[in-house]
Amino acid sequence: MQEPQYLSHASITAFGAYVPQRILSNADLERIVDTSDEWIVQRTGIHERRVASEGEFCSDLCFAAVRDMQARFGSVLTDVDFILVATSTPDTFFPSMSSRVQAEFGIEACGAADIQAACAGFVTALQLANGLLLTGAHRKILVIGAETLTKVTDYTDRTTCILFGDGAGAALLERTQEGAFLGSHVSTTGESGHQLYRSSLSPSILGMPITANGKIIQNGREVYKWAVSQLPKGISAILQRYGYTAADLDWFVPHSANMRIIDSVCDKTGIPIEKTLSSIAEYGNTSAASIPLALDLAMKDGRIKPGDLVLLYGFGGGLTEAGLLMRWTL
């Protein structure tokens, strides 16, 4: 039996991004922990990352990304009827960052919710926005991925502090007759959630004691093994289900976690590394913001163009993964 066509009435009509001004280079980290530029680049592909100032928080990054979108596309927000913000580092758990965005831009009659799917958050939010638009109950949705990971990074841990940076990206989705989203994939390996976490109230996960210091804790070896084994399966599944091959892709945009992961996944799926968009070198691992930041870089230098077939693929804490196959519309 032939698979049904993926249903979508969503298209991205505007886009914006923001990164803080302060740069944290590999040379800077050499003065903080026992590491080196060569070691970091070889293992991660990261050259520098951006750091929010002491008084700059997730909401501020969200506001700046939306204002960038307005400046570039002249976007009108007064008729936005839902806001979704993907973040693991909100200023406050409530009020939500989405409600802060609603207030900042004076958007009336608007629903608001934050999405916590870690590094898969932006793609998950796009998938949810497509569903809301598909019902007909909503017509214009603002989706934001934003993180201030440096505020929850343990700078005494040389294996994780080299990774994380701050940034935000915003996309405006509107209901269209023929949606630009062509296929979707999700998967969760919750039984391995203790391999990558940030603690909150409980001192344990799945009955296992955790380091409850509120910082990011990662078993890099296990997360790497999970990613390079699971992602090729998910990527193959979404391409096969909707009748595409790796050769059909114009661009692959994975979460910018680590270039070693991206290289391995490309090798296993047959996606040329030259067709991969990443923000890892410039901004490090920015979790829910990494995919929109990669898209923003590609828009600014003209690599990505309207009509391009693009596969977005977020993966990380949870352990969660979310893929979205789409036609680029900007």
Side-chain angles (χ1 to χ4, degrees):
M1 181 177 177
Q2 187 175 6
E3 287 282 358
Q5 184 178 2
Y6 186 70
L7 297 178
S8 172
H9 287 305
S11 293
I12 295 177
T13 58
F15 204 88
Y18 171 78
V19 291
Q21 291 186 350
R22 181 188 166 194
I23 295 173
L24 181 65
S25 68
N26 291 345
D28 294 328
L29 285 169
E30 288 177 354
R31 294 188 284 271
I32 298 173
V33 292
D34 180 18
T35 191
S36 69
D37 175 71
E38 181 181 13
W39 191 88
I40 294 171
V41 172
Q42 285 182 350
R43 285 161 178 77
T44 69
I46 300 171
H47 291 270
E48 58 187 36
R49 62 286 295 142
R50 298 300 180 96
V51 179
S53 65
E54 185 177 352
E56 190 175 35
F57 296 95
C58 183
S59 61
D60 300 304
L61 273 58
C62 289
F63 303 159
V66 173
R67 291 194 179 98
D68 179 63
M69 182 183 73
Q70 289 180 305
R72 289 160 65 178
F73 291 90
S75 305
V76 175
L77 302 180
T78 53
D79 56 343
V80 165
D81 50 20
F82 214 96
I83 302 169
L84 293 170
V85 175
T87 185
S88 298
T89 52
D91 307 13
T92 53
F93 289 111
F94 54 89
S96 65
M97 296 303 92
S98 51
S99 64
R100 293 287 304 278
V101 171
Q102 176 273 324
E104 178 71 13
F105 294 95
I107 305 169
E108 299 180 359
C110 175
D114 284 2
I115 305 300
Q116 210 300 78
C119 308
F122 185 73
V123 178
T124 300
L126 291 178
Q127 292 171 336
L128 294 173
N130 177 64
L132 291 172
L133 293 169
L134 188 62
T135 68
H138 298 277
R139 301 194 65 83
K140 196 171 185 179
I141 298 178
L142 180 60
V143 171
I144 303 170
E147 301 286 8
T148 51
L149 295 176
T150 62
K151 295 184 184 297
V152 294
T153 294
D154 181 358
Y155 284 97
T156 67
D157 180 0
R158 68 187 294 267
T159 64
T160 61
C161 74
I162 63 172
L163 297 173
F164 301 113
D166 304 331
L172 192 62
L173 275 66
E174 298 189 58
R175 183 177 170 85
T176 52
Q177 190 61 36
E178 288 190 18
F181 296 169
L182 308 176
S184 184
H185 174 80
V186 292
S187 181
T188 304
T189 312
E191 58 271 25
S192 296
H194 61 289
Q195 305 292 1
L196 174 57
Y197 64 86
R198 180 188 169 205
S199 62
S200 180
L201 299 179
S202 175
S204 65
I205 297 174
L206 298 171
M208 289 173 274
I210 62 172
T211 302
N213 63 2
K215 303 294 186 181
I216 301 170
I217 306 295
Q218 175 177 258
N219 184 335
R221 185 184 299 272
E222 290 303 316
V223 173
Y224 176 87
K225 287 166 56 178
W226 168 79
V228 300
S229 64
Q230 286 297 113
L231 268 59
K233 298 175 187 176
I235 291 165
S236 297
I238 189 172
L239 291 174
Q240 291 175 13
R241 181 175 184 184
Y242 298 103
Y244 295 94
T245 68
D248 294 321
L249 293 175
D250 292 297
W251 297 108
F252 172 47
V253 194
H255 161 52
S256 293
N258 183 312
M259 275 309 301
R260 291 176 68 189
I261 292 176
I262 295 173
D263 286 339
S264 178
V265 169
C266 286
D267 183 62
K268 292 183 177 184
T269 57
I271 300 173
I273 194 67
E274 296 78 17
K275 288 188 174 184
T276 299
L277 301 180
S278 168
S279 56
I280 191 74
E282 299 87 347
Y283 304 134
N285 181 336
T286 54
S287 191
S290 80
I291 286 176
L293 288 177
L295 290 167
D296 181 65
L297 289 170
M299 290 175 65
K300 287 177 176 174
D301 65 19
R303 280 176 293 169
I304 192 168
K305 297 177 175 60
D308 282 354
L309 182 65
V310 180
L311 175 60
L312 312 181
Y313 210 95
F315 60 93
L319 298 169
T320 59
E321 50 186 303
L324 187 62
L325 191 64
M326 63 178 296
R327 288 286 177 190
W328 192 247
T329 52
L330 298 178

